[in-house]
Amino acid sequence: MTSAFVIEQILNGVQFGVMLFLMAAGLTLVFGVMGLINLAHGSLYMIGAFVCAWVSGWIGSFWIGLVAGLLAAAAVGALMEILVIRRLYQRDHLDQVLATFAMILIFSEGTRWLFGDQPLWLDIPQLLSGAVDLPFGVSYPLYRLAIILVGVALAIGLYMLITKTRLGMQIRAGESDREMIGALGINIATLYTVVFALGAALAGVAGSFVGALQSVQVGMGEPVLILAFVVIVIGGIGSIEGALVASVLVGLVDTLGRVFLPQFFALFMEPSAATSVGSALSSTSIYILMAIVLIWKPKGLFAAHD
Amino acid sequence: MKNNLLKTLSALAVSTAVGVGGMASAMAENVKIGMITTLSGGGSSLGIDVRDGFMLAIKQSGRTDIDVMIEDDARKPDVAKQISDKFIQKEKVDILTGIIWSNLAMAVVPPAVRQGVFYISPNAGPSALAGKACHENYFNAAWQNDNLHEAMGGYVSAEGHKKPFILAPNYPAGKDALTGFKRFYTGELAGEVYTKLGQTDYAAEIAQIKASGADSVYFFLPGGMGIAFMKQYSQSGVSTPVFGPAFSFDQGILAAVGDAAVGVKNSSQWSKDIDTPANKAFVESFQKEYGRLPSLYASQGFDSANLIISAVEKAGGAKDADAFRAALKAAEFTSVRGDFKFASNNHPIQDIYVREVVKEGDVLTNKIVAVGLKGHANAYVDQCKM
Amino acid sequence: MTDTLNRETIVNISLAFLLLAAPMLALALDEPFYISLATKVAILSLAGVGLNLALGYGGMISFGHAAFFGVGGYVAGISAHHMFEGSDFLGLFAATDQLLLIWPMAIILCGGLAILIGLFSLRTTGVYFIMITLAFAQMIYYLGISIPTYGGEDGLPIYVRNQLPVVSSDDPLTFFLVCYALLMGGIFLSSRIIGSRFGAALQTARMNEVRLATVGIAPFPVKLTGFVLSAMITGLAGALFAELNGFVGPSMLSWHRSGEIMIFVILGGVGRLYGPLAGAALFILLEFFIGGFTDRWQFFLGLILLGVVLFAKGGLMGLIAGRARHD
C-alpha cells in the first residue's frame, strides 16, 4: 500500500462527500427555514440528471445540459412549493412525510412515462475527460477533481449568500425565529419559494454531475436521499457548516471503510472470511457512524438550535 | 419522448389483442399463462423486454388457444407472491412465467410448482432451484445464474490472463458469480472485492484495481451498478482489459454505458449475430414490431414462449400434466440461440459465447468473437434429485 | 364530542366487520384468492397497530420498524428452514414447526432487539430519532443481505407452513381467521394499554415530557416500554407475513417497508385505534386494483395519497370519523 493509493482514496472520499453536500445543503436549508421534511428531494436530483442527459443528448453539450438540469430542478422545485408544499408547513412532520412520499411516486413514474424505461446516456464533457497527474505520483480522474472544485466553490458561494446578502439574512432570521420575519415585513411566501427552489437547484446540479458518472435512471434519487438525511442528522439539522463537515466525514468513512476494513480484518482472519466480514461491516459503516454520533451528541455535531 | 409512450401503448395493444383474440374462441381447453414480471420502477426495462419477446412469439404462432395475462410485480417479492396466488387461485392458470429477479423467483416458484402449476423461467436461475430445491414442473429457458460467469472464467484463462481482479456485490448472486468464475479460472487472483449492493460510486475499487497490478478485470454488477462502474473505469486512466457477463453490455443498457463499453468482451448464450434463420427472423421481426433491437432478455422471453408453444402443440394443451411435462422436457422448438436441450435438472445445456462490444455506425452492439463453453450445463445437476 | 366518539365507534365496528366479511363473501362467490388479500390486509394492519403505539400514542416516529417486522419474519423462516432441512439452529436448538412456539420466540426476540435499539435511540428526539431508528434498521438489513446460510438477498422459502394445534394453518380461511383474531387482539391490547395509567403516562410523554417528570414519572422508561411493546406487535405481524407469503427475505427489512408501515398509520389516521386497519386496507386495495388497470399505477397511487394528505386532515379516520379525541 503506497501513499499515492491512500491519497487517492482520500480524494475519492472527499469527492463523494462534496456531492453529498450539494444534496444535503438543500435539505437542511428547507428543514431549517421552513421546518419541512422533504422526502422528494431525491426526485429533484433525478429530474436534474434526466433533463441534463436529455438536453445534452439533444444539443450535444454537457454544459448546456447542466444549466438546463439546474433550471429544470429549480423550476420543478418552485412549482412543487407553490402547488403542494406550502400547504404542509402548518402540518406535522408525518403529513409532510406522507405527502412527499406520494410525490416520489408521482415523480418517478412520471419521469419513466416521459423518458422511457431505459437508463439515459450522459457522458463526461470532453474537456474534463481522462486522468491528470498530481503530486506524490497520484493519477486522478480530472472530472472527479472538477467535482471537488465545483462543490467547494458552491459551498463557499452558499456560505457567502447566507452570511453576506439580504436573502441570507432573511434565511437566518427564518431559521431562528419564524414569526420574526413576518414582523419584519418580509414576504414569507416568496422567501419560502426561493429557498425551496435554491435547494432544488443544488440537488439538480448534484444530479447532473453525478449522472455523468453513473447511470441516469428512475430511482437514482432514493439512495442519495437516505445518505443526505444521514448527513444532515450527523451535522445537526439546519446547519450548513454541519452539513459540510458531515458530508465529508460520511464520504471519507464510507470510502475508506470499503477499502481498508477488509484489509484490516485480513490481518487476523483468513482472506475469504476477512473479505466477507469486512464488506458486510463497510456496508453499514455510515449507519454505525451516525448511531455513534447521535448517542454522543443527540442533536448532531453542530446543533443549530433546539 | 412521445415515441416511447406510443411504443408502450402499441405493445400493450398487442398484448391485449392477443388476450382478447384468445378469449373470443375461448374453450374449456385454452392454455392459460400468467406472466409476473417487472414493468414499473427500476429494472423495468428487463421485464418489458421479456414481455415483448414473449408476446411476439405468441403473436407469430397465430394460436388462439393460448391466453396470456400479464401483471407487474414492481420488483417486490410479496407483490409477486400475491399475483401468483391470484393467477393460480382466481385465474386457474396452467403455467406461470416472467420473473426477472432471483429473490422474487424464490418467493414464487417453490409454492407454485408444488401446487401443480408449471413455471417456465425466462431469466432468473438461482442455484437452489437448480440443485436441492429443483422440481419437475420448473423449467429454466434462460440459464442457471452461474453459467455466464463460468464461461468467462474459462475464456479469461484460455486467453492467458494470469492475474484477474474480480468484483461483485456482496449478496448471494454476487458470491455465486465469482465462485462460478473461479470454477473455470483456477489461477492466481490479483484481488477479490465485494461491494455494497446498489453502490454507484466505484472510485475506491478502481483505485484498488490500479494498485493491484491486475492484468484483467472481471466484474458482475447488474443494472445501474454496471453502468456506473464502466463509465468511471473508462475515466480513470486504467487500461487493464475488462470482462463481464452480458448483463452489463446488452442491447438495452449499452446506450447508457456509451463508448466506454467498446471493445469489452462479455459472455452470453445469445447474440443478435448468431447466424441461424430462426435468429435472423427473430431480430428482424422484433425490430419491426417494437422499433428497437432485441436484447438478451427479449430473446429469453421469445424462447420461453416458443418452448411453451411447442409443448402445447405436442401434448395437445397443458391439461395432461405428464404429457405436457414430457413435451417441455423434449424442448422441440428452434431456439434463437442455436442448440438447446434440457439437462436432467431442467436447466439448459447450451453454448455460451464470448461477444465483443462494437460500434455499427452510431449504434453500439455486440459481435461474437469466440465460444466460451460448448454444450455447457451447470454445476448443480448432481444435487438435483427429481 | 360524544357525538364524534360514537361515530368513531361505528366506523371501527364497520371496518372490523368488513374485513371479516370480505373472505366469507369471497368464499361464497368462489373467489378464494381474495382470502389471501384480506389476510394480507389483516397482517399489515397488525404491523401498523404496533407502530401506531409508538408513533401515534408515544410520539416516537420510528423509521425502523421494518427491523422488527423482518426479524419476526426471519424467526418463522429460519424455524421452517431448519425443520425442512432437519438441522438445528446454530447446532444448539432443535427447530420447531409449532406456531405457538414460534410466535412467542418472534415476540421475545423483537422485544429484546427493541430494548437494545431503544436504549440508544430514545436519547434523541424528533428527526434525529427518525434517522437513528433508520440507521439501526439499515444495519440489520445489510446483515440480512449478507448472511448466506439464510439466503441473503435471495431470501428463504418456507416450503411447509408452520403448524397450529387442532386447526390446520394451511387452510386459507383458517389462517385468515387466526390473523384476524391476532389483529383484533392487537387492537384490544392497544386500547387497554392506552386506557391504562401507563398509557396515560405514554401520551403525556408525547405531549410534554417535563409535565410527566414533574409528577414524578421518569419519561425514559415509559417511552422505552412503549417502544418495546410496539416492536413486539410489529414483530408478530412479521412472523405472520412470512407464513402468508411462504417466504422471508431482506425486502421485509428494507427502509421501504418501514416507510410503508408508517404510511399505513398516517394514511389511516395517527393515534386512532383502527387507523392502521383503514390505512393498510386502502393502500393494499389501491395497489391491487390500480395495478390491475395500468403499469403506471404508482403514479395514480401517488396522486391519491397526495389528495388524502392535502384534503383529509387526520387521515382516513379523520375524514370519515371526525377529529380524534385528543386533538
Side-chain angles (χ1 to χ4, degrees):
Chain A
M1 202 185 306
T2 62
S3 60
F5 181 71
V6 177
I7 292 170
E8 186 172 351
Q9 296 296 14
I10 290 172
L11 280 174
N12 286 333
V14 171
Q15 182 259 316
F16 184 39
V18 162
M19 270 295 100
L20 280 179
F21 171 70
L22 292 185
M23 279 295 283
L27 211 54
T28 206
L29 261 184
V30 167
F31 193 89
V33 179
M34 288 98 99
L36 177 93
I37 299 183
N38 178 22
L39 294 185
H41 200 65
S43 300
L44 297 164
Y45 169 89
M46 175 184 74
I47 288 168
F50 267 88
V51 171
C52 177
W54 191 70
V55 170
S56 346
W58 182 42
I59 297 186
S61 158
F62 173 80
W63 304 107
I64 295 176
L66 179 66
V67 173
L70 181 156
L71 292 177
V76 171
L79 209 63
M80 188 173 145
E81 202 275 340
I82 291 168
L83 290 178
V84 179
I85 301 289
R86 61 173 51 169
R87 296 161 210 271
L88 298 171
Y89 296 139
Q90 300 306 320
R91 303 289 194 86
D92 66 12
H93 286 332
L94 289 171
D95 280 356
Q96 299 170 353
V97 165
L98 179 55
T100 51
F101 168 80
M103 293 178 86
I104 295 182
L105 294 180
I106 296 171
F107 280 126
S108 296
E109 205 50 47
T111 306
R112 210 166 70 88
W113 212 333
L114 282 176
F115 292 96
D117 308 298
Q118 306 285 359
L120 291 193
W121 178 73
L122 175 62
D123 207 2
I124 292 166
Q126 207 59 47
L127 186 66
L128 296 178
S129 68
V132 284
D133 292 322
L134 298 178
F136 306 105
V138 178
S139 151
Y140 199 69
L142 186 56
Y143 188 71
R144 289 183 185 273
L145 209 55
I147 290 182
I148 296 180
L149 296 178
V150 170
V152 169
L154 281 173
I156 294 172
L158 203 58
Y159 180 75
M160 301 293 275
L161 178 85
I162 286 173
T163 53
K164 300 280 195 277
T165 65
R166 199 175 153 69
L167 174 67
M169 188 202 76
Q170 295 172 353
I171 291 175
R172 277 178 294 145
E175 284 191 326
S176 47
D177 188 348
R178 225 163 287 162
E179 277 75 43
M180 181 72 161
I181 46 173
L184 284 172
I186 296 161
N187 185 341
I188 305 177
T190 317
L191 175 68
Y192 284 4
T193 310
V194 169
V195 171
F196 199 85
L198 177 68
L202 287 172
V205 171
S208 305
F209 269 115
V210 173
L213 275 179
Q214 356 176 305
S215 70
V216 178
Q217 61 184 6
V218 173
M220 65 187 285
E222 289 171 25
V224 189
L225 174 79
I226 292 284
L227 284 180
F229 266 112
V230 169
V231 163
I232 69 172
V233 162
I234 291 179
I237 293 167
S239 160
I240 295 279
E241 309 94 291
L244 183 61
V245 171
S247 309
V248 175
L249 191 62
V250 165
L252 285 172
V253 165
D254 185 66
T255 305
L256 300 181
R258 259 151 61 198
V259 179
F260 295 114
L261 274 177
Q263 300 190 4
F264 169 72
F265 284 106
L267 295 178
F268 49 86
M269 289 168 90
E270 309 173 55
S272 67
T275 311
S276 65
V277 174
S279 312
L281 200 60
S282 69
S283 299
T284 57
S285 59
I286 56 164
Y287 298 106
I288 295 171
L289 171 73
M290 174 160 86
I292 292 171
V293 167
L294 289 186
I295 288 162
W296 170 46
K297 285 199 159 188
K299 290 198 174 298
L301 293 175
F302 291 72
H305 53 85
D306 290 317
Chain B
M1 284 179 351
K2 226 184 206 131
N3 215 357
N4 265 312
L5 248 176
L6 282 178
K7 266 187 279 178
T8 321
L9 285 177
S10 63
L12 279 176
V14 169
S15 53
T16 11
V18 173
V20 172
M23 254 173 296
S25 64
M27 305 288 280
E29 292 302 308
N30 266 18
V31 176
K32 285 189 161 185
I33 303 176
M35 176 180 281
I36 306 165
T37 195
T38 305
L39 300 172
S40 69
S44 56
S45 61
L46 280 68
I48 287 168
D49 276 353
V50 163
R51 177 193 69 189
D52 289 352
F54 193 94
M55 293 316 293
L56 179 67
I58 298 283
K59 190 182 169 203
Q60 286 178 355
S61 76
R63 295 188 79 101
T64 52
D65 58 346
I66 298 180
D67 297 337
V68 184
M69 283 158 284
I70 304 171
E71 287 219 22
D72 173 27
D73 60 33
R75 205 177 172 170
K76 292 183 186 165
D78 55 299
V79 174
K81 179 65 173 44
Q82 181 186 317
I83 300 172
S84 90
D85 285 348
K86 180 174 134 186
F87 278 156
I88 296 171
Q89 295 167 14
K90 185 165 153 49
E91 312 289 351
K92 315 255 183 311
V93 297
D94 307 295
I95 303 161
L96 286 174
T97 183
I99 294 175
I100 303 293
W101 316 100
S102 293
N103 56 338
L104 273 65
M106 290 303 287
V108 167
V109 175
V113 292
R114 277 159 179 266
Q115 291 173 61
V117 173
F118 285 90
Y119 185 88
I120 315 295
S121 175
N123 199 63
S127 51
L129 296 181
K132 274 191 279 186
C134 68
H135 194 277
E136 56 177 7
N137 281 2
Y138 170 82
F139 290 84
N140 187 309
W143 23 254
Q144 198 283 315
N145 281 356
D146 301 2
N147 282 172
L148 303 191
H149 311 293
E150 292 167 337
M152 219 23 143
Y155 182 73
V156 165
S157 239
E159 286 290 284
H161 294 289
K162 298 271 182 285
K163 270 185 91 179
F165 188 100
I166 58 179
L167 71 160
N170 190 25
Y171 75 125
K175 289 187 176 147
D176 284 353
L178 297 192
T179 313
F181 181 89
K182 287 186 285 185
R183 204 172 282 140
F184 284 78
Y185 173 87
T186 45
E188 188 195 346
L189 291 173
E192 180 175 356
V193 163
Y194 291 96
T195 62
K196 180 157 79 177
L197 190 66
Q199 184 175 321
T200 48
D201 194 290
Y202 291 92
E205 289 75 16
I206 291 167
Q208 281 177 284
I209 292 172
K210 200 158 61 172
S212 71
D215 67 353
S216 53
V217 177
Y218 181 77
F219 76 94
F220 167 61
L221 297 166
M225 295 186 278
I227 300 178
F229 177 81
M230 276 315 294
K231 281 167 106 169
Q232 293 162 25
Y233 188 77
S234 72
Q235 288 300 319
S236 64
V238 187
S239 55
T240 315
V242 175
F243 301 87
F247 315 119
S248 296
F249 302 97
D250 204 54
Q251 206 58 51
I253 213 171
L254 268 177
V257 184
D259 288 348
V262 172
V264 173
K265 306 264 176 53
N266 61 93
S267 50
S268 172
Q269 86 285 5
W270 176 84
S271 180
K272 94 179 191 328
D273 60 337
I274 290 175
D275 196 10
T276 62
N279 193 43
K280 277 187 181 145
F282 163 63
V283 173
E284 199 175 298
S285 57
F286 188 92
Q287 217 171 349
K288 198 164 150 232
E289 184 80 40
Y290 303 109
R292 63 178 197 271
L293 285 171
S295 66
L296 181 68
Y297 310 105
S299 82
Q300 292 162 189
F302 191 77
D303 273 354
S304 303
N306 278 326
L307 168 67
I308 293 171
I309 293 165
S310 76
V312 168
E313 181 98 356
K314 196 172 176 200
K319 292 290 172 241
D320 180 349
D322 291 331
F324 187 65
R325 189 180 304 117
L328 281 172
K329 187 112 189 172
E332 286 169 5
F333 74 107
T334 317
S335 167
V336 293
R337 76 195 85 172
D339 294 339
F340 180 103
K341 62 177 187 250
F342 281 119
S344 64
N345 62 350
N346 292 355
H347 283 64
I349 301 178
Q350 57 189 348
D351 297 344
I352 314 273
Y353 303 98
V354 176
R355 316 184 296 183
E356 183 177 345
V357 179
V358 292
K359 219 166 180 177
E360 282 177 2
D362 267 350
V363 183
L364 289 167
T365 188
N366 280 288
K367 157 173 135 275
I368 295 180
V369 292
V371 178
L373 290 173
K374 211 157 172 53
H376 183 54
N378 58 74
Y380 304 94
V381 173
D382 296 338
Q383 290 175 27
C384 169
K385 311 263 182 296
M386 249 190 256
Chain C
M1 179 160 281
T2 42
D3 192 35
T4 54
L5 210 64
N6 283 338
R7 201 163 121 205
E8 178 159 357
T9 315
I10 294 166
V11 170
N12 289 349
I13 292 171
S14 315
L15 278 171
F17 176 75
L18 278 176
L19 180 60
L20 185 61
M24 309 298 175
L25 190 68
L27 209 61
L29 295 174
D30 196 25
E31 292 280 9
F33 161 70
Y34 291 104
I35 299 175
S36 75
L37 199 64
T39 315
K40 187 174 174 183
V41 171
I43 293 172
L44 289 176
S45 302
L46 181 62
V49 168
L51 179 62
N52 199 20
L53 198 59
L55 184 151
Y57 298 103
M60 295 171 277
I61 308 178
S62 162
F63 197 5
H65 259 49
F68 310 121
F69 191 70
V71 166
Y74 268 101
V75 169
I78 289 172
S79 302
H81 172 76
H82 285 297
M83 203 60 202
F84 187 71
E85 302 256 294
S87 53
D88 293 345
F89 177 69
L90 293 177
L92 294 174
F93 306 104
T96 173
D97 65 350
Q98 289 304 311
L99 286 170
L100 292 184
L101 282 173
I102 290 171
W103 290 340
M105 268 198 306
I107 292 172
I108 291 168
L109 202 64
C110 287
L113 185 66
I115 292 177
L116 216 64
I117 293 179
L119 273 178
F120 292 118
S121 304
L122 285 168
R123 294 167 46 89
T124 65
T125 53
V127 181
Y128 298 98
F129 181 79
I130 299 181
M131 294 309 292
I132 197 168
T133 45
L134 169 76
F136 282 112
Q138 287 293 90
M139 290 176 205
I140 294 169
Y141 170 74
Y142 282 109
L143 191 72
I145 275 192
S146 49
I147 295 181
T149 326
Y150 299 122
E153 166 80 359
D154 283 352
L156 265 183
I158 300 177
Y159 294 112
V160 185
R161 190 173 277 173
N162 294 311
Q163 299 302 314
L164 278 171
V166 189
V167 295
S168 155
S169 62
D170 289 322
D171 176 57
L173 189 63
T174 310
F175 190 66
F176 166 79
L177 289 173
V178 168
C179 293
Y180 183 80
L182 288 170
L183 169 65
M184 288 301 140
I187 292 178
F188 177 71
L189 185 70
S190 284
S191 78
R192 292 305 296 265
I193 291 173
I194 295 153
S196 70
R197 283 166 50 93
F198 165 75
L202 184 65
Q203 296 184 69
T204 312
R206 181 190 73 216
M207 291 181 266
N208 191 339
E209 287 199 11
V210 181
R211 205 165 81 194
L212 192 63
T214 48
V215 294
I217 303 174
F220 187 85
V222 172
K223 291 173 85 172
L224 184 63
T225 312
F227 186 71
V228 170
L229 286 171
S230 156
M232 288 169 143
I233 296 176
T234 303
L236 175 62
L240 294 173
F241 196 66
E243 299 288 349
L244 172 70
N245 287 329
F247 174 77
V248 55
S251 68
M252 280 180 74
L253 292 163
S254 79
W255 67 269
H256 294 95
R257 181 64 69 187
S258 297
E260 216 173 274
I261 301 174
M262 202 195 281
I263 299 296
F264 298 153
V265 176
I266 308 171
L267 187 62
V270 174
R272 310 292 283 261
L273 264 183
Y274 282 73
L277 173 54
L282 180 73
F283 191 93
I284 292 163
L285 292 179
L286 281 176
E287 191 178 72
F288 180 74
F289 287 108
I290 316 178
F293 282 115
T294 164
D295 295 347
R296 309 284 179 204
W297 57 274
Q298 299 196 357
F299 187 83
F300 300 102
L301 180 64
L303 283 180
I304 293 171
L305 291 183
L306 193 58
V308 172
V309 198
L310 289 183
F311 303 113
K313 270 194 183 167
L316 278 179
M317 292 301 283
L319 190 68
I320 50 180
R323 303 197 57 169
R325 198 159 41 126
H326 55 68
D327 270 4

